[in-house]
Amino acid sequence: MSKSQVLYLFLVLASACLVNANSVADRSNADDEGVDEIIGGTTVARGQHQYMAFLTSFYAGASGLCGGTVISNRYVLTAAHCVQDHTTGEIAKKVEVRLKVYTVNPMDAGVKLITVTGSNIKPHPEFMASGEVNFNYDLALIKLGADLPTSDYYLIGKLYLAGVDQTTVTAVGWGYTSSTSTTVSSTLKQVSFRIGTNDECKNFWDPRGGAYNHEFQLCGVVPGKSVCRGDSGGPIVRYSSGYQTYSQVGINSFVPTSNGQAACEMGYAVFTRVSAHRDWIHANSCYQTSGGFCPTWSYA
């Protein structure tokens, strides 16, 4: 596969969260309760995964829908491609961050809406440093305009440091429920699957021209259990039964394609490895330089 073909593959995948600006109002209002969705997952119970943020990024003439994670009293973590146009390098003019979201159609009445603009939208500088997308650095920070009140600290999630090869993780999001869907899910969904080894992930991606890098990325290896369009930027989390808590290990980055179209059911979605970027996350989100307290890292 030529360099241009490889780049095109990644660019198609990077656009997974982008939709027409008018399509936000076109989501299905069907009652999806209990239906197997995300890709092979289920509807979550209201009150689970409260660290989830529902993001709408605005560019010239278009908008994008993504997920994100509240990681401190001032910051949301998401994918760089959710806030930076992968073809022009344009950073979103504004991002609407919605917290306390469960159902998006109709949108929950108690949602907290925070609008973020300008330099408070910060993709990793290496994501498009050379003018081409580098998915090793597919992460971004969104700085809220003010600290969350202490009454909202229950929204803050943990980040995970230790290795997760062959560990079962859970992806969470409002994304498309199949590769051929045209609308996002109206209700928050989750799906669990196993993280692959370096060999498993590379054996899938290398023949397809994908530059998978296990140092900076993770991949799920269960066909029929995965994420899809609109889940971009959202987390994969590891559950600790001992502590009865979730901690984030990855950020939804891209999925396989077939004939230029998303092929979410194949599995093998790729996620940015959060622990590989601890230094950058800390340097750009801690109170010493940027306001807000530092994210909480966990080994549990």
Side-chain angles (χ1 to χ4, degrees):
M1 183 177 288
S2 70
K3 180 179 180 182
S4 61
Q5 287 174 313
V6 173
L7 184 58
Y8 176 72
L9 170 67
F10 283 122
L11 293 180
V12 170
L13 298 174
S15 67
C17 74
L18 295 179
V19 295
N20 182 279
N22 296 322
S23 66
V24 176
D26 295 334
R27 302 188 204 115
S28 168
N29 60 4
D31 183 2
D32 294 325
E33 192 72 27
V35 178
D36 287 349
E37 293 187 343
I38 277 198
I39 301 295
T42 57
T43 302
V44 310
R46 185 178 286 273
Q48 281 190 294
H49 306 296
Q50 295 185 88
Y51 47 76
M52 285 293 295
F54 184 87
L55 309 179
T56 309
S57 301
F58 293 88
Y59 304 85
S63 66
L65 302 178
C66 278
T69 313
V70 181
I71 61 168
S72 80
N73 63 338
R74 197 68 180 269
Y75 282 87
V76 171
L77 181 67
T78 189
H81 79 260
C82 286
V83 298
Q84 185 169 19
D85 187 289
H86 59 276
T87 57
T88 66
E90 176 194 5
I91 297 175
K93 299 180 184 304
K94 71 173 180 178
V95 178
E96 291 181 348
V97 179
R98 288 176 171 84
L99 308 179
K100 306 181 183 180
V101 179
Y102 176 68
T103 299
V104 298
N105 189 16
M107 184 62 71
D108 284 325
V111 163
K112 177 191 288 284
L113 171 62
I114 303 169
T115 299
V116 179
T117 60
S119 61
N120 290 328
I121 304 166
K122 189 167 188 174
H124 195 292
E126 294 299 319
F127 179 63
M128 289 196 70
S130 64
E132 293 186 355
V133 174
N134 184 342
F135 276 92
N136 291 337
Y137 300 95
D138 192 10
L139 73 158
L141 288 165
I142 299 172
K143 184 179 180 180
L144 307 179
D147 291 350
L148 292 175
T150 55
S151 58
D152 285 344
Y153 281 8
Y154 68 92
L155 299 174
I156 300 171
K158 299 177 183 293
L159 303 178
Y160 189 68
L161 280 177
V164 290
D165 286 13
Q166 303 188 66
T167 297
T168 296
V169 299
T170 300
V172 189
W174 293 272
Y176 288 14
T177 58
S178 76
S179 296
T180 57
S181 295
T182 58
T183 60
V184 296
S185 171
S186 61
T187 306
L188 188 62
K189 303 287 196 266
Q190 66 178 21
V191 63
S192 295
F193 48 84
R194 182 174 65 85
I195 290 297
T197 63
N198 181 43
D199 287 346
E200 287 177 302
C201 295
K202 289 187 72 64
N203 287 344
F204 178 88
W205 282 104
D206 284 357
R208 293 164 172 80
Y212 177 81
N213 185 335
H214 203 62
E215 179 182 357
F216 292 98
Q217 295 170 320
L218 303 159
C219 91
V221 292
V222 181
K225 301 281 186 179
S226 192
V227 295
C228 205
R229 300 185 175 195
D231 291 318
S232 287
I236 53 170
V237 294
R238 178 185 182 275
Y239 183 71
S240 169
S241 57
Y243 289 86
Q244 296 187 343
T245 187
Y246 289 97
S247 50
Q248 182 174 0
V249 301
I251 303 165
N252 182 18
S253 187
F254 58 85
V255 298
T257 61
S258 178
N259 297 320
Q261 301 297 318
C264 308
E265 288 80 5
M266 293 178 72
Y268 289 91
V270 173
F271 308 89
T272 305
R273 188 186 290 267
V274 171
S275 60
H277 297 285
R278 175 178 177 168
D279 290 346
W280 185 82
I281 292 170
H282 262 265
N284 291 277
S285 68
C286 289
Y287 63 87
Q288 294 97 325
T289 58
S290 301
F293 53 67
C294 296
T296 302
W297 293 84
S298 170
Y299 288 94

